[in-house]
Amino acid sequence: MTAELVRGQNHPLSQARLEIRVSAGTPIVAAATLGDEDGRAHSVEWVAHPGAPTLPGLEVSRQAAADHRLAVDLDALSAEVHRVSVLLALPMGVGGPVSFGSAAVPFVAVTGLDGTEVASYTITGLDAESAVVALELYRRQGAWKVRAVGQGYAGGLAELLTDQGLPQAPQLATSINSAVVEGLARSLQAPPPRTPEGDRSRQTATSALGPDQSGSPYTTQGATGPYPGAQGATGPYGGAPGRPDGGASAADPAATQPTPAAPSSGGPIDYSHPRRQNAAPPPPPPTAPPAEPGQPARPVAGDATGWSMDERLYNQVWGMFEDLARTTAAYRSAVDFADTRLEKELDQVLSDPRSRIGGQGDAARETAQAKHVQLVDQAREALERDLVQLTAEAEVVEPALPVAYARWDNPAWHAYRVPMEMPMAFRLGDLQLPESDPLRIPMLVRLPLERGLWIDAGRTAASDGSFADSHELRQLAMESAVAHTARLLAVHPADEFTVHVIDPAGSGAQALAPLVRAGVLAAPPAVGAAGVADVLGRLTQRVDLVQMAVRGGAADSLPPGFDTSQQLLVVNDFPHGFDDRAVNQLRYLADEGPAVGVHLMMVADREESSAYGPLLDPLWRGLLRLTPVPDDHLADPWVGHAWTYEPCLVPHGSQVLEQVLAQVAAARAKYR
């Protein structure tokens, strides 16, 4: 039975390996400190935080998230450690709440590896505090207990760490927050939350002015924790899936569905997704044809909830992404556990003088190594089983994707017609993990864009370890930008998307030629400092005008002939041709533009703007960084895997781009 603790109450712990689950409703930082008998942390090496998430017997999340799972192995802690304090803090400088009094009440639960709650604590009474010691695990007379603490600190993480006995507390707090901000900047956006019944009606496309006055077109969900879907457990020690409080999460409606047992080794593979068995909103999703007796069910495209096939495919792709993240986390955790166990058993053998004589020591080492191989093989078998399932699903989903989600070599483009409405999302590229090669998951991003795009033209190591030279990278970066721009033009109605280009030195003329020849740009690419100033001035004035109209409740009173379409500004060779005024205008567009339908796509090498120092750091952090070559720089919002991103480029020699742009240009001509 779960012990529901109140502040100051304790409860004995009968298990050594535990999970501490945190649910806060808003992205927070989860960390932990190790303490001696007096509760003092000896140094920064006694703190597990997103910048250094792993200590012996302790692992925390690598980034800020709404839900966390911390893994604790009390037997693996050093004999000097008598206390483990769980810390929660609000990240600074990311636009979220600045105190717990303006956020949802945090909930913390200590569970076993099977998900059974041992104790829970709802942290109430917080107001101006931005950091809190949630609870502590402490050793008393050889036995471990958990105590609900709930001690808040208005001075934030720095004050909390100082109270823990760390003289370097301010510097450590700054480094933790920097690591969190960088993690949030490079993390993929989670899909919008679903309703508890499992269906989520598609939100109506907003006007061309951008999202409605309430802000974002959908709620950005932080890291909601792994979702049940793929076989195998997640968490550093293979914990069970589910919401930290043991119930069904709003972002995981199928958590209430029983998860079928994993198939036995060598048995048939069940291709059906346990969390996708709930009925979808009308029209009903496609169902797989009945399988032959003794054969697994075959996957089908659109096997997810949604009001339309596009929405069902979008949700299905996100489900595949979640499943791959989860099963890979389970595999890596199992391998880490096997390595730790092998090291511990070998240490025990070497610490016993009797085992050093004769063959007893060799036999013990062989036994330990055999156990290690067995554990790794079992983990690999479970991973391979899930990869087979996901690969089979990808093989039927990929050909069924609409043009907004499809690769450029998909036959769907040969039947392309200019759409009448904006789709839910569009494809930016593919994502993969080292363990899943060659399986790739489409990277779909919601429309309208909520943050700008930055295609890094700087020196980047490709996934195969090779380096492209500077000129080649710049060319590839511009080709990638043109492919993304063409796709955005293709998936929007003809009169609802306008593209502006700034190319101060004209270095991107060759890559931009398809857009220029097709006549789909608002004007020829702007060159020189005068061209830069003109385009930025007009777009800045547009943002100001729309903001004033919206804030004054007069959005319908814009000047006659005002272009209400979504606007995309493509900037090449930044900061060439930009003076201080232009740089400030660019930052303003990046910050304020998306809310009123003005979006930014940068093709730039960050090193070339280093002369501006930290002035441009918010600009780079606010953009989603993409690369022109495969690179593992993106993180998922659940377990923080480093995903390899591969851009979605037009196949060499293909005419599909020109054919699509010709149709877009013909449709746009009818509205002029």
PDB file of all heavy atoms in Angstrom, residues 185-201:
ATOM      1  N   ALA A 185      16.921  24.124 -26.229  1.00  0.00           N
ATOM      2  CA  ALA A 185      17.064  24.717 -27.552  1.00  0.00           C
ATOM      3  C   ALA A 185      17.243  23.662 -28.630  1.00  0.00           C
ATOM      4  O   ALA A 185      16.825  23.840 -29.767  1.00  0.00           O
ATOM      5  CB  ALA A 185      18.256  25.692 -27.567  1.00  0.00           C
ATOM      6  N   ARG A 186      17.885  22.527 -28.294  1.00  0.00           N
ATOM      7  CA  ARG A 186      18.134  21.520 -29.320  1.00  0.00           C
ATOM      8  C   ARG A 186      17.165  20.357 -29.259  1.00  0.00           C
ATOM      9  O   ARG A 186      17.273  19.409 -30.030  1.00  0.00           O
ATOM     10  CB  ARG A 186      19.563  20.988 -29.195  1.00  0.00           C
ATOM     11  CG  ARG A 186      19.819  20.074 -28.012  1.00  0.00           C
ATOM     12  CD  ARG A 186      21.300  19.751 -27.867  1.00  0.00           C
ATOM     13  NE  ARG A 186      21.532  18.747 -26.849  1.00  0.00           N
ATOM     14  CZ  ARG A 186      21.706  17.466 -27.092  1.00  0.00           C
ATOM     15  NH1 ARG A 186      21.654  17.032 -28.331  1.00  0.00           N
ATOM     16  NH2 ARG A 186      21.919  16.607 -26.122  1.00  0.00           N
ATOM     17  N   SER A 187      16.190  20.426 -28.361  1.00  0.00           N
ATOM     18  CA  SER A 187      15.263  19.303 -28.236  1.00  0.00           C
ATOM     19  C   SER A 187      14.152  19.400 -29.260  1.00  0.00           C
ATOM     20  O   SER A 187      13.741  20.481 -29.659  1.00  0.00           O
ATOM     21  CB  SER A 187      14.656  19.259 -26.829  1.00  0.00           C
ATOM     22  OG  SER A 187      13.828  20.363 -26.623  1.00  0.00           O
ATOM     23  N   LEU A 188      13.692  18.245 -29.689  1.00  0.00           N
ATOM     24  CA  LEU A 188      12.559  18.188 -30.588  1.00  0.00           C
ATOM     25  C   LEU A 188      11.294  18.515 -29.833  1.00  0.00           C
ATOM     26  O   LEU A 188      11.155  18.190 -28.658  1.00  0.00           O
ATOM     27  CB  LEU A 188      12.437  16.791 -31.188  1.00  0.00           C
ATOM     28  CG  LEU A 188      13.566  16.373 -32.116  1.00  0.00           C
ATOM     29  CD1 LEU A 188      13.338  14.939 -32.549  1.00  0.00           C
ATOM     30  CD2 LEU A 188      13.620  17.278 -33.318  1.00  0.00           C
ATOM     31  N   GLN A 189      10.374  19.109 -30.543  1.00  0.00           N
ATOM     32  CA  GLN A 189       9.121  19.479 -29.911  1.00  0.00           C
ATOM     33  C   GLN A 189       8.223  18.258 -29.798  1.00  0.00           C
ATOM     34  O   GLN A 189       8.051  17.502 -30.741  1.00  0.00           O
ATOM     35  CB  GLN A 189       8.434  20.540 -30.757  1.00  0.00           C
ATOM     36  CG  GLN A 189       7.442  21.376 -29.994  1.00  0.00           C
ATOM     37  CD  GLN A 189       7.117  22.616 -30.778  1.00  0.00           C
ATOM     38  OE1 GLN A 189       7.207  22.658 -31.994  1.00  0.00           O
ATOM     39  NE2 GLN A 189       6.729  23.660 -30.089  1.00  0.00           N
ATOM     40  N   ALA A 190       7.677  18.037 -28.630  1.00  0.00           N
ATOM     41  CA  ALA A 190       6.771  16.906 -28.452  1.00  0.00           C
ATOM     42  C   ALA A 190       5.454  17.192 -29.131  1.00  0.00           C
ATOM     43  O   ALA A 190       5.086  18.335 -29.366  1.00  0.00           O
ATOM     44  CB  ALA A 190       6.541  16.654 -26.959  1.00  0.00           C
ATOM     45  N   PRO A 191       4.697  16.153 -29.471  1.00  0.00           N
ATOM     46  CA  PRO A 191       3.407  16.379 -30.129  1.00  0.00           C
ATOM     47  C   PRO A 191       2.435  17.022 -29.178  1.00  0.00           C
ATOM     48  O   PRO A 191       2.612  16.975 -27.969  1.00  0.00           O
ATOM     49  CB  PRO A 191       2.965  14.961 -30.501  1.00  0.00           C
ATOM     50  CG  PRO A 191       3.641  14.083 -29.497  1.00  0.00           C
ATOM     51  CD  PRO A 191       4.952  14.751 -29.206  1.00  0.00           C
ATOM     52  N   PRO A 192       1.364  17.634 -29.703  1.00  0.00           N
ATOM     53  CA  PRO A 192       0.376  18.269 -28.831  1.00  0.00           C
ATOM     54  C   PRO A 192      -0.309  17.248 -27.956  1.00  0.00           C
ATOM     55  O   PRO A 192      -0.408  16.081 -28.320  1.00  0.00           O
ATOM     56  CB  PRO A 192      -0.611  18.903 -29.820  1.00  0.00           C
ATOM     57  CG  PRO A 192      -0.445  18.091 -31.062  1.00  0.00           C
ATOM     58  CD  PRO A 192       0.990  17.688 -31.106  1.00  0.00           C
ATOM     59  N   PRO A 193      -0.784  17.651 -26.766  1.00  0.00           N
ATOM     60  CA  PRO A 193      -1.419  16.699 -25.869  1.00  0.00           C
ATOM     61  C   PRO A 193      -2.726  16.182 -26.420  1.00  0.00           C
ATOM     62  O   PRO A 193      -3.412  16.876 -27.159  1.00  0.00           O
ATOM     63  CB  PRO A 193      -1.655  17.520 -24.588  1.00  0.00           C
ATOM     64  CG  PRO A 193      -1.707  18.934 -25.062  1.00  0.00           C
ATOM     65  CD  PRO A 193      -0.776  19.022 -26.233  1.00  0.00           C
ATOM     66  N   ARG A 194      -3.053  14.945 -26.059  1.00  0.00           N
ATOM     67  CA  ARG A 194      -4.318  14.343 -26.459  1.00  0.00           C
ATOM     68  C   ARG A 194      -5.301  14.434 -25.307  1.00  0.00           C
ATOM     69  O   ARG A 194      -4.927  14.588 -24.153  1.00  0.00           O
ATOM     70  CB  ARG A 194      -4.108  12.880 -26.855  1.00  0.00           C
ATOM     71  CG  ARG A 194      -3.085  12.702 -27.969  1.00  0.00           C
ATOM     72  CD  ARG A 194      -2.888  11.219 -28.246  1.00  0.00           C
ATOM     73  NE  ARG A 194      -1.953  11.005 -29.332  1.00  0.00           N
ATOM     74  CZ  ARG A 194      -0.667  10.855 -29.166  1.00  0.00           C
ATOM     75  NH1 ARG A 194      -0.145  10.884 -27.975  1.00  0.00           N
ATOM     76  NH2 ARG A 194       0.116  10.649 -30.195  1.00  0.00           N
ATOM     77  N   THR A 195      -6.563  14.319 -25.614  1.00  0.00           N
ATOM     78  CA  THR A 195      -7.571  14.337 -24.568  1.00  0.00           C
ATOM     79  C   THR A 195      -7.574  13.014 -23.845  1.00  0.00           C
ATOM     80  O   THR A 195      -7.084  12.017 -24.355  1.00  0.00           O
ATOM     81  CB  THR A 195      -8.957  14.576 -25.186  1.00  0.00           C
ATOM     82  OG1 THR A 195      -9.234  13.494 -26.083  1.00  0.00           O
ATOM     83  CG2 THR A 195      -8.996  15.888 -25.948  1.00  0.00           C
ATOM     84  N   PRO A 196      -8.119  12.948 -22.627  1.00  0.00           N
ATOM     85  CA  PRO A 196      -8.114  11.691 -21.885  1.00  0.00           C
ATOM     86  C   PRO A 196      -8.787  10.558 -22.623  1.00  0.00           C
ATOM     87  O   PRO A 196      -8.467   9.405 -22.395  1.00  0.00           O
ATOM     88  CB  PRO A 196      -8.867  12.049 -20.593  1.00  0.00           C
ATOM     89  CG  PRO A 196      -8.695  13.525 -20.447  1.00  0.00           C
ATOM     90  CD  PRO A 196      -8.659  14.069 -21.840  1.00  0.00           C
ATOM     91  N   GLU A 197      -9.742  10.852 -23.504  1.00  0.00           N
ATOM     92  CA  GLU A 197     -10.405   9.777 -24.227  1.00  0.00           C
ATOM     93  C   GLU A 197      -9.563   9.255 -25.367  1.00  0.00           C
ATOM     94  O   GLU A 197      -9.910   8.295 -26.029  1.00  0.00           O
ATOM     95  CB  GLU A 197     -11.747  10.265 -24.791  1.00  0.00           C
ATOM     96  CG  GLU A 197     -12.792  10.534 -23.716  1.00  0.00           C
ATOM     97  CD  GLU A 197     -12.527  11.848 -22.982  1.00  0.00           C
ATOM     98  OE1 GLU A 197     -11.761  12.669 -23.514  1.00  0.00           O
ATOM     99  OE2 GLU A 197     -13.067  12.022 -21.885  1.00  0.00           O
ATOM    100  N   GLY A 198      -8.422   9.912 -25.616  1.00  0.00           N
ATOM    101  CA  GLY A 198      -7.545   9.412 -26.648  1.00  0.00           C
ATOM    102  C   GLY A 198      -7.715  10.079 -27.997  1.00  0.00           C
ATOM    103  O   GLY A 198      -6.995   9.783 -28.914  1.00  0.00           O
ATOM    104  N   ASP A 199      -8.697  10.980 -28.148  1.00  0.00           N
ATOM    105  CA  ASP A 199      -8.839  11.651 -29.423  1.00  0.00           C
ATOM    106  C   ASP A 199      -8.523  13.115 -29.249  1.00  0.00           C
ATOM    107  O   ASP A 199      -8.693  13.692 -28.212  1.00  0.00           O
ATOM    108  CB  ASP A 199     -10.249  11.461 -30.006  1.00  0.00           C
ATOM    109  CG  ASP A 199     -11.316  12.049 -29.094  1.00  0.00           C
ATOM    110  OD1 ASP A 199     -11.009  12.262 -27.926  1.00  0.00           O
ATOM    111  OD2 ASP A 199     -12.452  12.272 -29.566  1.00  0.00           O
ATOM    112  N   ARG A 200      -8.017  13.681 -30.312  1.00  0.00           N
ATOM    113  CA  ARG A 200      -7.665  15.099 -30.294  1.00  0.00           C
ATOM    114  C   ARG A 200      -8.099  15.670 -31.619  1.00  0.00           C
ATOM    115  O   ARG A 200      -7.536  15.372 -32.657  1.00  0.00           O
ATOM    116  CB  ARG A 200      -6.159  15.284 -30.111  1.00  0.00           C
ATOM    117  CG  ARG A 200      -5.720  16.733 -30.214  1.00  0.00           C
ATOM    118  CD  ARG A 200      -4.222  16.819 -30.069  1.00  0.00           C
ATOM    119  NE  ARG A 200      -3.558  15.947 -31.011  1.00  0.00           N
ATOM    120  CZ  ARG A 200      -3.355  16.242 -32.287  1.00  0.00           C
ATOM    121  NH1 ARG A 200      -3.775  17.379 -32.767  1.00  0.00           N
ATOM    122  NH2 ARG A 200      -2.732  15.408 -33.084  1.00  0.00           N
ATOM    123  N   SER A 201      -9.140  16.473 -31.571  1.00  0.00           N
ATOM    124  CA  SER A 201      -9.610  17.052 -32.826  1.00  0.00           C
ATOM    125  C   SER A 201      -8.585  18.034 -33.335  1.00  0.00           C
ATOM    126  O   SER A 201      -7.940  18.745 -32.567  1.00  0.00           O
ATOM    127  CB  SER A 201     -10.952  17.753 -32.612  1.00  0.00           C
ATOM    128  OG  SER A 201     -10.805  18.793 -31.676  1.00  0.00           O
TER     129      SER A 201
END
